[in-house]
Amino acid sequence: MMIQIKGLGKAFRGEWLFRSLDFQINERDRIGLVGDNGTGKSTLMKMVAGLMPADEGKVVGARNLTFGYLPQDGLVAGGKTVLEEALTVFEFVRSLEREIRRLEHEMADMRHSGPEYEKKLARYSLITQQFRLQEGYSVEARAGSVLMGLGFSSQDLGRSCGEFSGGWQMRLALAKLLLQKPNLLLLDEPTNHLDLEARNWLEDYLKSYPHALALVSHDRFFLDATTERILEIRNRSVHFYKGNYSRFLQQREERIEQLRAAYEAQQKEIARIKAFADKFRYKATKASQVQSRLKDLERMDRIEIPPESKPIKLRFPEGPRTGRNVIELSGVSAGYGNDPVFQDLHYILEKGERVALVGPNGAGKSTLMKILAGRLALTEGTRKLGHNVVVSYFSQDQDDLLASEKTVWDEVYSVAPDYIVPQLRTLLGCFLFSGDSIDKPVSVLSGGERSRLVLCKLLLSPANCLLLDEPTNHLDIRSKDILMDALREYQGTIVFVSHDRYFLDGLATGVLEIGNRTAVSYLGNYEDYLYKKAQMELQQAAPGEIGDPEKATPDSGRISEPADAEKKRVNPIRIRQMKDRIEKLEEQIQLHETRIAVLNQMLATEELYRDHQLFRSTMEEHDGLQAELDRSMKQWERLNSELEGLR
């Protein structure tokens, strides 16, 4: 146990946000905090990190526990280069290095004999050993690796921190936390400021993080990949679920079904007791029984069913029917100043496509969106709109279009079609405007709130071509799901940019990869795109392979298979190592299956249920072994697949 939360509670304006929380965080825990907006996820993170006082209860940490906390925004660095700022986390190691250099200079000018030289030599030996143990020789390489993984280029490392925007400042703050490697890493929306490549890198990094971590995220795919326990804040209390976010959704539904059944049984019991009391209240011979049962009723812990979120189905208005070609770019060159972002670009967007733009940060995704929207002047080539095409364009930097004297409700009501008006409050709730917030003046809204309002207005305007640049920013998981479902049923054409893997996979029917001043098209969703890219890289990495070039084009999505005589020669040692690993996994799987079978037999006996402590420990062992078995099976399947590929 690293940290224990005992009876923790927090109130705002006289109302409890949550209270009487009891749970603990263990070493190597991977915890995802989930819950509706306003339930207190960020507040709980700050209280665990010691940055906010509790109104009741306490947080008890183990000795020598170190925290690392990343807020959603607000961290700014300046005065140093990016690399120098990242290296500040290694100040102790760098002080050792400075002392090593000083001792080297001093000893070089001394006679190599005598007590003073021996004293300095002993100190030098001790310091260099400490320096090696702290991996001092690799600190710059480690810092550079993390910074570049989070999207900084090699040129950025020498630039001043003050030159970077708030989003990049948060990336730098995240890099420093990862380099510190605290015992407990607390991350509040760590993917908010990351592009897709940096998000994928962070996902892989956290999978192998050597200590405990707890994070808040509205990225379902990221939660699935990085967490093994889910802590849900609901009804002012917390509930733990084993497994990732997808498993949590299944378990929560099962738990709510059980809760409903228990609630109905309790209501029947309450009704039965009340009926008995009403019937015999004035009968002297039954008076004591009536009083006894009424006291039982008062002492009864009433079961509460959490309020259900009403299912929401949105249908956005669509414009007139278009022809097959929606937007056509021919020989387009465009950019900023003398620096072209695209050169001689040819692309046709067809009716009904849902195209995701992907590529590294700075490759030109937002620039292409502006070209498609007609918001950026072309230096060469033409942009042609198809017949009857009506374009709606959403970008993160157009919220200044909102009239500041209006309220949120007025802004949306002014563009809402008549059939949407009865659903308007529900629709605003999907974009996280509820209660009194719909009466707030636009002038006081935050940047995230303004972006959500712009998106809501845009989706209420009739159009047959939607260009959406980061529509999922500032939305929670439920809002993203509602938006994705509505866009799936939309009959028009969509081009979008998103860093949310679940949203990409669920919505895209095609992928347009941006880079090297051009764009390459791939069929399928983002998962299909990654597979095709991996296949192409494998083909390119195999020297001597000759295939039909037509079969290797991204549009076809097919990779040519080389002839047997031309296949890459595989290292037999690598195959042997993989076989050995598979055999060890098979032995481990057999042991786990045997033990689980024994535990299942124990759980089927009545005697076990009488001993509560033994039952609990047996269940914990069973669940732990089952999780380990699942992981081993996944590894076994992956290794067998890789081995088959090598063969």
Side-chain angles (χ1 to χ4, degrees):
M1 187 270 294
M2 291 178 53
I3 192 166
Q4 189 164 14
I5 284 78
K6 297 181 177 179
L8 198 66
K10 187 67 179 177
F12 282 110
R13 298 174 183 173
E15 291 189 10
W16 287 100
L17 192 58
F18 49 75
R19 66 180 315 184
S20 303
L21 303 191
D22 289 288
F23 64 94
Q24 65 184 38
I25 301 175
N26 303 310
E27 293 181 14
R28 296 296 302 245
D29 263 352
R30 299 285 191 271
I31 298 174
L33 271 67
V34 302
D36 294 337
N37 270 10
T39 53
K41 301 185 295 295
S42 295
T43 300
L44 180 57
M45 293 275 277
K46 291 175 185 175
M47 293 172 72
V48 171
L51 301 176
M52 184 178 286
D55 291 326
E56 68 174 15
K58 58 183 177 179
V59 178
V60 181
R63 187 177 297 176
N64 300 324
L65 176 65
T66 55
F67 289 98
Y69 171 67
L70 181 78
Q72 291 187 28
D73 49 40
L75 297 182
V76 178
K80 296 183 175 69
T81 67
V82 170
L83 182 59
E84 287 171 346
E85 183 65 31
L87 289 173
T88 57
V89 304
F90 299 115
E91 187 51 41
F92 173 69
V93 178
R94 300 182 83 191
S95 68
L96 292 178
E97 184 177 18
R98 288 193 292 270
E99 186 173 1
I100 288 170
R101 298 293 169 256
R102 180 177 59 79
L103 288 170
E104 286 174 344
H105 285 298
E106 290 176 357
M107 290 190 296
D109 297 333
M110 294 176 64
R111 293 179 57 189
H112 293 185
S113 60
E116 188 64 23
Y117 181 82
E118 293 295 331
K119 182 179 178 181
K120 287 189 181 294
L121 184 61
R123 176 65 180 169
Y124 181 79
S125 177
L126 176 65
I127 295 298
T128 51
Q129 184 178 7
Q130 284 184 310
F131 188 71
R132 282 195 298 271
L133 289 173
Q134 295 286 335
E135 300 180 356
Y137 294 106
S138 64
V139 291
E140 287 199 14
R142 279 186 280 158
S145 174
V146 170
L147 287 167
M148 293 174 76
L150 291 175
F152 290 94
S153 67
S154 55
Q155 290 78 19
D156 289 337
L157 303 189
R159 291 172 57 192
S160 171
C161 295
E163 298 177 25
F164 291 88
S165 66
W168 285 96
Q169 293 275 1
M170 293 306 296
R171 292 195 194 203
L172 178 55
L174 175 58
K176 290 171 65 177
L177 277 184
L178 298 180
L179 290 167
Q180 286 172 355
K181 292 188 178 178
N183 301 138
L184 177 57
L185 191 59
L186 301 167
L187 305 177
D188 195 354
E189 293 286 356
T191 61
N192 265 4
H193 306 285
L194 302 183
D195 57 21
L196 202 52
E197 289 72 22
R199 195 213 67 89
N200 291 341
W201 179 89
L202 179 62
E203 175 191 309
D204 290 335
Y205 186 94
L206 293 181
K207 283 178 182 176
S208 58
Y209 189 71
H211 306 298
L213 67 91
L215 59 92
V216 176
S217 179
H218 292 154
D219 187 325
R220 180 185 300 207
F221 194 97
F222 187 76
L223 282 170
D224 271 349
T226 56
T227 61
E228 296 173 358
R229 295 174 73 197
I230 296 295
L231 184 155
E232 183 191 28
I233 304 179
R234 195 180 185 98
N235 287 355
R236 299 178 298 281
S237 61
V238 295
H239 305 277
F240 266 105
Y241 298 84
K242 291 188 177 181
N244 60 15
Y245 185 80
S246 294
R247 181 70 184 122
F248 148 73
L249 292 177
Q250 298 170 4
Q251 292 181 63
R252 183 180 64 176
E253 190 56 38
E254 293 167 2
R255 176 180 161 270
I256 290 175
E257 284 298 323
Q258 293 170 357
L259 204 58
R260 286 197 193 103
Y263 174 80
E264 290 171 6
Q266 187 181 70
Q267 290 302 306
K268 288 178 181 177
E269 177 65 12
I270 291 170
R272 190 183 66 80
I273 293 173
K274 286 182 176 179
F276 178 85
D278 291 341
K279 184 175 181 180
F280 298 108
R281 186 182 301 274
Y282 303 107
K283 192 170 184 178
T285 56
K286 298 284 188 177
S288 61
Q289 292 183 43
V290 168
Q291 291 301 316
S292 174
R293 296 193 184 190
L294 288 175
K295 286 180 181 178
D296 289 342
L297 197 59
E298 290 174 3
R299 289 193 293 264
M300 186 181 292
D301 290 331
R302 300 298 177 98
I303 296 171
E304 290 185 25
I305 298 179
E308 294 185 41
S309 301
K310 294 180 180 178
I312 299 172
K313 192 174 183 66
L314 298 179
R315 178 174 60 88
F316 297 118
E318 297 171 16
R321 292 174 62 87
T322 68
R324 179 174 178 179
N325 291 352
V326 177
I327 302 177
E328 184 174 352
L329 303 179
S330 301
V332 165
S333 295
Y336 307 95
N338 297 322
D339 186 17
V341 180
F342 291 97
Q343 282 188 324
D344 194 29
L345 174 64
H346 295 266
Y347 177 65
I348 298 176
L349 176 65
E350 295 187 355
K351 178 183 177 181
E353 286 189 307
R354 301 198 298 261
V355 179
L357 304 189
V358 303
N361 197 64
K365 299 186 292 293
S366 293
T367 301
L368 182 55
M369 293 290 272
K370 290 177 182 177
I371 292 171
L372 292 170
R375 300 288 182 91
L376 184 66
L378 308 181
T379 55
E380 292 181 18
T382 59
R383 167 187 175 270
K384 181 181 177 182
L385 279 184
H387 177 65
N388 277 342
V389 171
V390 181
V391 174
S392 281
Y393 170 54
F394 169 78
S395 70
Q396 294 293 324
D397 56 0
Q398 69 174 19
D399 54 24
D400 57 341
L401 300 178
L402 293 173
S404 60
E405 69 273 10
K406 292 185 178 181
T407 65
V408 171
W409 172 269
D410 291 336
E411 281 285 350
V412 178
Y413 183 80
S414 65
V415 298
D418 291 340
Y419 72 89
I420 287 284
V421 171
Q423 286 185 281
L424 210 51
R425 283 186 176 273
T426 301
L427 175 65
L428 284 166
C430 297
F431 289 90
L432 309 183
F433 293 106
S434 58
D436 296 337
S437 64
I438 67 172
D439 296 320
K440 289 168 67 174
V442 172
S443 57
V444 303
L445 297 182
S446 67
E449 288 173 325
R450 285 179 173 239
S451 291
R452 294 200 302 271
L453 186 51
V454 171
L455 179 61
C456 183
K457 285 186 64 180
L458 177 141
L459 294 173
L460 289 176
S461 305
N464 47 34
C465 179
L466 298 179
L467 305 177
L468 308 175
D469 193 356
E470 291 288 356
T472 55
N473 273 9
H474 312 293
L475 297 181
D476 63 10
I477 291 176
R478 182 167 178 261
S479 301
K480 288 178 186 178
D481 288 346
I482 293 168
L483 176 62
M484 183 169 69
D485 290 341
L487 292 175
R488 275 175 176 166
E489 295 191 5
Y490 177 74
Q491 298 300 307
T493 306
I494 304 171
V495 180
F496 68 100
V497 178
S498 177
H499 298 153
D500 188 298
R501 276 286 300 274
Y502 186 80
F503 192 83
L504 279 168
D505 283 339
L507 184 60
T509 59
V511 170
L512 197 61
E513 183 184 45
I514 312 300
N516 298 321
R517 299 180 179 178
T518 189
V520 181
S521 182
Y522 295 79
L523 293 176
N525 64 9
Y526 186 72
E527 195 69 32
D528 298 326
Y529 157 75
L530 290 179
Y531 174 76
K532 291 168 189 173
K533 288 286 288 183
Q535 293 294 97
M536 292 173 70
E537 287 171 6
L538 282 173
Q539 186 185 42
Q540 291 170 3
E545 287 190 1
I546 302 174
D548 182 355
E550 290 296 317
K551 292 184 180 179
T553 58
D555 279 324
S556 70
R558 298 189 301 272
I559 306 301
S560 59
E561 290 292 336
D564 290 343
E566 295 165 340
K567 283 188 178 178
K568 182 181 177 182
R569 186 168 296 175
V570 181
N571 187 346
I573 297 175
R574 169 68 174 152
I575 291 179
R576 182 67 260 169
Q577 289 173 337
M578 292 183 74
K579 285 182 176 179
D580 290 343
R581 178 63 182 143
I582 288 170
E583 288 175 3
K584 288 179 181 177
L585 279 171
E586 287 172 345
E587 293 174 3
Q588 190 176 22
I589 288 168
Q590 186 175 4
L591 287 172
H592 284 346
E593 288 177 338
T594 302
R595 179 57 181 165
I596 287 171
V598 172
L599 292 174
N600 284 335
Q601 290 179 350
M602 292 172 62
L603 290 168
T605 60
E606 292 184 10
E607 291 80 3
L608 187 67
Y609 288 87
R610 297 193 186 104
D611 188 337
H612 180 71
Q613 188 172 359
L614 180 60
F615 171 76
R616 186 175 177 181
S617 63
T618 305
M619 280 297 298
E620 287 177 350
E621 182 184 359
H622 179 278
D623 291 346
L625 283 172
Q626 188 62 54
E628 185 63 31
L629 177 61
D630 292 343
R631 284 193 291 269
S632 297
M633 288 297 295
K634 287 179 182 177
Q635 282 183 294
W636 182 86
E637 290 171 1
R638 178 177 57 79
L639 286 171
N640 271 286
S641 178
E642 290 178 5
L643 182 60
E644 190 64 29
L646 288 175
R647 285 170 169 167

